[in-house]
Amino acid sequence: MKLTIPVRNLEEIRFAYKLWIRDVYAWFIDQDFEKNKKWTWIYNWRITPDGNFQNIESIIEAVEYCRNNEMTLNLTFNVLPFVWDEKLLTLALKNIRKIKAHNIIIADINVMKYFQSEKIIVSTLSSLYNSPSIQFFLDRYPNIKRLVLPRELSIREKQSIMDDKQTQFEILILNDWCYNSNAMCSSLHFWEIVKKVKYSCRRDNLYYSKSSNSDTQALQKITWKRSDCKICSIYFYKKYPDLYFKIAGRVKNTIALRKDMLFSKKVLDRLQLNENYSDFVSKNISLHQKIYWEKCDYNNCEYFKINDAS
């Protein structure tokens, strides 16, 4: 099992390397693209200045560092072109190919056809909700390296897909934002919480603010909400050694991101031990307080009372 984390500068990559984290994802501020793009091109929150490399030169340097240290940098080209513009895409491709990233994370299926010679990671935005939809992508793009499963899927649903398809998968973990950020609320069908945990949404007013900068504020509130960490759920993925766990949240400050790296890495390392679920959770709670200097909100955790995944 491995971690993949968001980075926006070389310092964060170096810290990840010290923790034996070898997979990172990033984007950069493409000035040429920004000057020419239209409002119909959506980057899925990937263009904030505080969440990306500041220019193409800095991310090229980061890719070179990763290659020299046996790390992988995945470039997040999660563009959603509502109105197609060939010239604009060509402009973006020119700079992307200069970077020479290990893999390209792509959401739009039509954009994928422009990356026949690169390794592709299929984004969580590509509606990978079942095995047939995953097979659809695999049949058409043999250069797919990994697929990111949607955050709305339950543990059992993810297990079913991964058992059926012998390929590399990635799932979101640790402050992965509200499930409703993909327009689907977890309370509608989550099998894990129906029997033993009374569900009540704890995310009131996350998306609404009087401030003109409401989107950024909402994202920060979701990202730092510790009761949404769900780290204990990884216990049920022990039989998938090639699975990647993705930490979300590019706008975190460096200290917060470092704590997330340290916490997640220690939890993953302990997962290899033969602990029962109760011991695993108890130690996670203790570790949470030690690293974050605040108590785990396990009484409100959707996963805390799960005893098995069968």
Side-chain angles (χ1 to χ4, degrees), residues 27-28 43-48 52 76 78 177 246 250:
W27 182 246
F28 69 105
Y43 252 122
N44 189 34
W45 294 334
R46 298 301 196 261
I47 58 173
T48 54
N52 295 282
T76 55
N78 275 3
W177 311 339
K246 176 181 179 179
R250 301 194 191 192

Side-chain angles (χ1 to χ4, degrees), residues 136-197:
F136 176 87
F137 283 92
L138 294 176
D139 289 343
R140 285 156 180 77
Y141 297 101
N143 55 326
I144 287 176
K145 178 74 177 292
R146 192 188 311 167
L147 301 104
V148 187
L149 296 178
R151 56 173 58 86
E152 299 90 359
L153 293 177
S154 70
I155 294 174
R156 185 168 57 183
E157 288 164 343
K158 291 172 186 172
Q159 287 176 328
S160 176
I161 290 174
M162 291 188 290
D163 288 340
D164 185 52
K165 300 296 179 185
Q166 301 302 311
T167 187
Q168 197 174 89
F169 288 101
E170 179 181 314
I171 64 174
L172 287 93
I173 199 71
L174 196 62
N175 304 332
D176 59 350
W177 311 339
C178 178
Y179 296 102
N180 197 44
S181 63
N182 280 2
M184 293 180 65
C185 180
S186 62
S187 66
L188 297 179
H189 70 287
F190 255 43
W191 76 274
E192 303 100 315
I193 63 178
V194 172
K195 293 182 179 179
K196 300 178 181 178
V197 182

Side-chain angles (χ1 to χ4, degrees), residues 151 155 158 171-179 186 190 193 199 202-203 222 225-237 245 263 267 277 280 284 288 296 300-304 306:
R151 56 173 58 86
I155 294 174
K158 291 172 186 172
I171 64 174
L172 287 93
I173 199 71
L174 196 62
N175 304 332
D176 59 350
W177 311 339
C178 178
Y179 296 102
S186 62
F190 255 43
I193 63 178
Y199 182 84
R202 304 179 307 284
R203 306 176 180 91
I222 296 168
K225 192 169 182 59
R226 293 296 167 200
S227 60
D228 281 348
C229 92
K230 304 179 182 67
I231 197 74
C232 295
S233 67
I234 70 172
Y235 183 86
F236 303 115
Y237 300 106
F245 292 102
F263 179 55
V267 171
Y277 179 72
F280 180 71
N284 287 348
H288 186 284
C296 168
N300 289 321
C301 181
E302 296 168 358
Y303 291 96
F304 180 71
I306 309 170

Side-chain angles (χ1 to χ4, degrees), residues 37-45 47 78-82:
K37 76 168 186 175
K38 301 177 182 179
W39 66 272
T40 51
W41 283 63
I42 308 299
Y43 252 122
N44 189 34
W45 294 334
I47 58 173
N78 275 3
V79 64
L80 300 175
F82 295 165

Side-chain angles (χ1 to χ4, degrees), residues 82-173:
F82 295 165
V83 176
W84 194 254
D85 188 327
E86 195 80 26
K87 292 182 179 179
L88 189 58
L89 180 63
T90 302
L91 181 63
L93 291 176
K94 181 180 179 181
N95 283 337
I96 288 173
R97 292 202 164 101
K98 287 181 183 178
I99 297 171
K100 299 180 180 179
H102 296 80
N103 304 302
I104 313 294
I105 304 174
I106 303 177
D108 185 85
I109 191 170
N110 196 45
V111 171
M112 289 182 190
K113 70 182 183 182
Y114 292 87
F115 293 90
Q116 300 290 338
S117 59
E118 290 87 1
K119 295 293 184 181
I120 293 174
I121 296 178
V122 183
S123 170
T124 184
L125 296 172
S126 298
S127 301
L128 304 172
Y129 289 104
N130 50 63
S131 292
S133 64
I134 289 172
Q135 193 61 48
F136 176 87
F137 283 92
L138 294 176
D139 289 343
R140 285 156 180 77
Y141 297 101
N143 55 326
I144 287 176
K145 178 74 177 292
R146 192 188 311 167
L147 301 104
V148 187
L149 296 178
R151 56 173 58 86
E152 299 90 359
L153 293 177
S154 70
I155 294 174
R156 185 168 57 183
E157 288 164 343
K158 291 172 186 172
Q159 287 176 328
S160 176
I161 290 174
M162 291 188 290
D163 288 340
D164 185 52
K165 300 296 179 185
Q166 301 302 311
T167 187
Q168 197 174 89
F169 288 101
E170 179 181 314
I171 64 174
L172 287 93
I173 199 71

Side-chain angles (χ1 to χ4, degrees), residues 237-263:
Y237 300 106
K238 291 178 68 174
K239 67 176 182 177
Y240 306 105
D242 294 328
L243 180 61
Y244 281 80
F245 292 102
K246 176 181 179 179
I247 298 178
R250 301 194 191 192
V251 297
K252 296 175 185 175
N253 60 51
T254 299
I255 294 176
L257 181 60
R258 287 188 175 192
K259 287 184 176 183
D260 283 351
M261 289 189 214
L262 183 60
F263 179 55

